[in-house]
Amino acid sequence: MTGAGEARLQQISLQDWPSLADDLGYAGLIHGLTMSERYLKKQSGKKIIPFGDRQVTVSQLLKANSRLKRLVAQKPAANELLEQMQRLFTLYRVILSGRQNIHARNILVTAYYQPIFEGRLTSSAEFQYPLYRIPDNLVQRSDGKIGRLENGAFVPYWTRGEIQGQNRLAGQEIAWLKDPVDAFSLHVQGSGLIRLEDGSLRSVRYGRRNGHPYRSIGKYMVDTGRMPLEQAGFDTIRQYLAEHPEEREQILSHNASYIFFRWSNTTEAIGSMGEPVSAGRSVAADPAVYPLGAVGFLSARMPKVQKGRVAGFKDMHRFVLVQDTGSAIKGVNRLDFFWGRGKEAGTAAGRVKQQGALYLFLPAGT
């Protein structure tokens, strides 16, 4: 995977700017910019953070958010917005080593969503697959490594297979689901909604992880010949697991990473900023490259959903906001796009594996 050290942030000349014709209404963008502002205002404006292969201050990110928010609140036409943006902002692209086409779609874009699953607060014959709270014995050292203490020694935390296969965390459940693949999906998405018996919704969000690296079960199934690459979406993986239940534990345990949850006091999906993320606007990225609170413009091909099914792909081009992170989203050439909530969003998100172009904005003169 390409790292930040193998890329450079290149300023885009005025004649090479994309049109910035946004294909989505500005209401969601204004809400998202407000969430980023709220997050950034909680930090010191002088704090220095990575931005590609350079560094910026929190104040610069806050100024970019505030300027764009004021502009789009006026609902300008596309050509007027472009003119104003070129006056108020400097535009950058991350250029990967050996790929100098300034508009190349050189970032792998995937997508995530907020799932809704049937669940219960106590186990039963129907609901027997647990979600766990942050365990009492989880330890994080000063160097960031996560594990547990065993006879006074720091050791790696249990893997997914050990936690599930050996019932290691009995008594620390917060909810129970009826399908182990639903539970696994929540681990991948990082948050979701649980529909309880009375019809009410409660939200679970990311709490901590067990410290093991994320490994894609889709890649594993392709590598082991279980399905071709072009079919390796989550819906087809779910179907395969339903048809081959004897393989389910082995396949799911390939991803040793395990997520522990906590209840949220809102049903909105919460990102790594601690603020709600916005459907169609928020993206998760590697904070070592793209700081939380950064403003960007993304071009990529995305699914068209009709009557609950994907009916081809179309070009998407819109402002996006870096508001989340993910254990599988590492390096300069990865981005995870937040599609939204529910089954239809999950259908679309599961089909997103596209190359995209990401442009980044800073206030003019920086």
Side-chain angles (χ1 to χ4, degrees):
M1 180 173 287
T2 305
E6 299 172 309
R8 59 190 177 90
L9 203 61
Q10 180 171 320
Q11 184 174 339
I12 306 297
S13 61
L14 292 179
Q15 62 267 27
D16 287 329
W17 277 49
S19 69
L20 303 186
D22 194 292
D23 64 359
L24 195 61
Y26 287 143
L29 176 59
I30 291 173
H31 172 76
L33 288 165
T34 301
M35 295 302 99
S36 290
E37 284 180 329
R38 196 156 76 181
Y39 164 76
L40 293 167
K41 285 177 179 178
K42 296 175 184 177
Q43 304 179 63
S44 167
K46 296 180 180 179
K47 181 180 177 181
I48 297 174
I49 44 183
F51 189 85
D53 59 343
R54 57 177 289 172
Q55 293 181 321
V56 296
T57 64
V58 167
S59 289
Q60 289 172 317
L61 296 180
L62 182 57
K63 184 181 291 186
N65 276 268
S66 299
R67 283 185 176 180
L68 180 58
K69 183 179 173 182
R70 286 195 297 269
L71 277 178
V72 298
Q74 300 168 19
K75 300 180 180 178
N79 61 339
E80 182 184 352
L81 177 65
L82 177 61
E83 181 180 333
Q84 294 283 357
M85 292 289 291
Q86 289 181 327
R87 181 174 61 84
L88 295 172
F89 291 89
T90 305
L91 186 64
Y92 296 88
R93 274 291 313 277
V94 170
I95 305 298
L96 304 184
S97 300
R99 297 183 65 174
Q100 299 306 310
N101 181 347
I102 209 163
H103 297 297
R105 293 189 172 185
N106 54 11
I107 292 178
L108 175 61
V109 182
T110 53
Y112 66 113
Y113 75 112
Q114 185 184 33
I116 304 174
F117 296 126
E118 295 291 324
R120 299 292 182 266
L121 300 181
T122 56
S123 63
S124 67
E126 185 178 12
F127 295 88
Q128 54 180 296
Y129 299 99
L131 303 177
Y132 293 109
R133 64 177 175 83
I134 301 171
D136 298 332
N137 63 348
L138 191 73
V139 175
Q140 184 167 5
R141 299 194 316 196
S142 59
D143 63 3
K145 290 186 177 180
I146 297 170
R148 59 188 177 85
L149 297 179
E150 186 175 280
N151 298 323
F154 182 87
V155 296
Y157 206 80
W158 296 308
T159 65
R160 174 180 299 277
E162 291 169 332
I163 291 171
Q164 296 185 160
Q166 301 172 22
N167 200 25
R168 294 283 188 173
L169 296 176
Q172 301 189 59
E173 304 88 355
I174 64 169
W176 303 79
L177 305 184
K178 65 171 61 175
D179 187 337
V181 184
D182 289 349
F184 183 88
S185 177
L186 272 175
H187 285 239
V188 174
Q189 304 304 324
S191 67
L193 297 173
I194 309 298
R195 190 181 303 280
L196 300 176
E197 191 171 9
D198 63 0
S200 64
L201 292 175
R202 288 194 67 179
S203 177
V204 290
R205 57 178 291 197
Y206 173 90
R208 296 282 292 277
R209 53 191 295 268
N210 66 345
H212 291 271
Y214 173 88
R215 293 198 294 178
S216 166
I217 63 168
K219 182 178 185 303
Y220 174 69
M221 294 178 76
V222 171
D223 291 346
T224 55
R226 287 177 167 90
M227 62 177 55
L229 178 61
E230 61 272 15
Q231 294 181 13
F234 200 77
D235 284 349
T236 54
I237 292 172
R238 182 185 287 275
Q239 181 179 345
Y240 182 95
L241 294 174
E243 294 172 353
H244 302 83
E246 73 284 355
E247 298 181 36
R248 187 178 63 205
E249 184 176 348
Q250 175 199 350
I251 291 172
L252 296 183
S253 294
H254 173 74
N255 178 24
S257 177
Y258 200 86
I259 302 300
F260 307 111
F261 296 93
R262 55 183 172 177
W263 292 114
S264 175
N265 57 8
T266 175
T267 57
E268 292 186 276
I270 304 297
S272 298
M273 297 191 308
E275 304 289 351
V277 290
S278 300
R281 292 294 184 186
S282 299
V283 295
D286 187 344
V289 184
Y290 306 109
L292 289 170
V295 175
F297 191 86
L298 177 65
S299 297
R301 288 184 61 77
M302 291 293 192
K304 295 185 295 182
V305 180
Q306 296 177 357
K307 297 180 179 179
R309 299 176 64 88
V310 172
F313 288 76
K314 62 179 179 179
D315 276 329
M316 182 198 78
H317 38 84
R318 67 183 62 160
F319 290 99
V320 293
L321 310 170
V322 180
Q323 296 184 321
D324 209 353
T325 60
S327 58
I329 310 303
K330 299 298 181 185
V332 69
N333 59 342
R334 284 290 282 115
L335 208 64
D336 210 20
F337 177 85
F338 179 61
W339 200 277
R341 171 191 291 188
K343 186 176 180 180
E344 187 171 290
T347 297
R351 293 289 300 277
V352 178
K353 195 172 185 180
Q354 303 291 321
Q355 293 299 123
L358 178 67
Y359 303 86
L360 299 166
F361 298 94
L362 286 177
T366 59

